[in-house]
Amino acid sequence: MIRRGHSAIAAATAAARSASLAFCLGLIGLTGAAVFAFLPDKAPVGVPSVGGPFTLVNQDGRTVTERDFAGATHLVFFGFTHCPDVCPTTLQQISDVLAALGPKGKAMRVAFVTVDPERDDPASLKAYLSSFDPRITGLTGTPEQVTATEKAYRAYARKVPAKDGDYTMEHTALVYVMDAQNRFLGALDLTRPADEVAAQLAKKI
């Protein structure tokens, strides 16, 4: 009995390590894509595909697909309205960058995809995003639709139970830069001042 217990624990531990390794490798691949995509005049080699078809609903209840964002460089960010700090901070930073772009960013659009479709319906997204730049579109859908979108963008999201019976969400905090053909260009570096980020982004528009 004891040996079987040890074997089961060992197997479970090995499985957990494999899952963790797979996730880490995915992040490493995505980070590599972000780094290489910003090298001038060089196409990334061996970069994993990021982005793809999706069907979601915006904050006005209208069905939206990736085709609605094609035709101009745009940003994609995964988050949720109950996020205590990372999401509102990032959305404000994005808003500041859009303002710093001036007329050059007129056609710029941002997709804010919720990772918490259970709580984030269109009305919740509309109220939440009213504090940020109007070019930011909130997107939600069924859990299956949201999960499919996360997979397409190689994003990570996981529900984490809280002590009070509520929950929060762990999620990828990258801001994806996509071109007019919905191809991944890299991750937006928001550690610098908005005007510097805008100057870098302007080269991709």
Side-chain angles (χ1 to χ4, degrees):
M1 292 293 289
I2 294 175
R3 290 180 178 175
R4 288 200 195 102
H6 283 310
S7 297
I9 292 170
T13 302
R17 287 175 177 169
S18 296
S20 177
L21 178 60
F23 170 62
C24 290
L25 289 175
L27 287 183
I28 290 169
L30 187 53
T31 303
V35 172
F36 284 109
F38 278 115
L39 290 177
D41 303 320
K42 288 186 179 181
V45 178
V47 169
S49 175
V50 177
F54 64 78
T55 300
L56 296 167
V57 177
N58 70 7
Q59 70 265 40
D60 295 315
R62 184 174 67 85
T63 298
V64 173
T65 73
E66 79 287 348
R67 294 188 295 275
D68 290 285
F69 291 89
T73 301
H74 56 281
L75 308 177
V76 178
F77 176 61
F78 290 84
F80 64 116
T81 64
H82 287 71
C83 182
D85 43 38
V86 173
C87 298
T89 298
T90 301
L91 289 171
Q92 185 57 57
Q93 289 173 319
I94 291 172
S95 297
D96 293 342
V97 170
L98 292 175
L101 279 170
K104 193 173 180 71
K106 185 178 180 180
M108 196 85 183
R109 295 187 64 196
V110 182
F112 174 63
V113 184
T114 182
V115 296
D116 186 15
E118 293 180 33
R119 294 184 292 195
D120 290 345
D121 58 12
S124 298
L125 286 171
K126 190 165 189 174
Y128 183 72
L129 292 174
S130 64
S131 301
F132 306 105
D133 192 285
R135 284 168 284 187
I136 302 175
T137 300
L139 298 177
T140 186
T142 66
E144 294 76 17
Q145 288 173 322
V146 170
T147 297
T149 307
E150 292 167 358
K151 288 182 178 179
Y153 283 82
R154 294 178 174 261
Y156 166 78
R158 184 174 74 91
K159 182 186 289 188
V160 180
K163 293 180 180 179
D164 58 2
D166 199 2
Y167 67 90
T168 187
M169 300 294 297
E170 289 182 352
H171 62 92
T172 298
L174 286 177
V175 178
Y176 301 74
V177 182
M178 311 297 291
D179 71 8
Q181 289 75 46
N182 284 312
R183 295 175 302 196
F184 178 63
L185 295 177
L188 201 63
D189 180 8
L190 293 174
T191 62
R192 296 181 298 162
D195 57 343
E196 292 183 15
V197 179
Q200 180 192 37
L201 186 57
K203 299 175 183 179
K204 301 296 178 180
I205 296 177

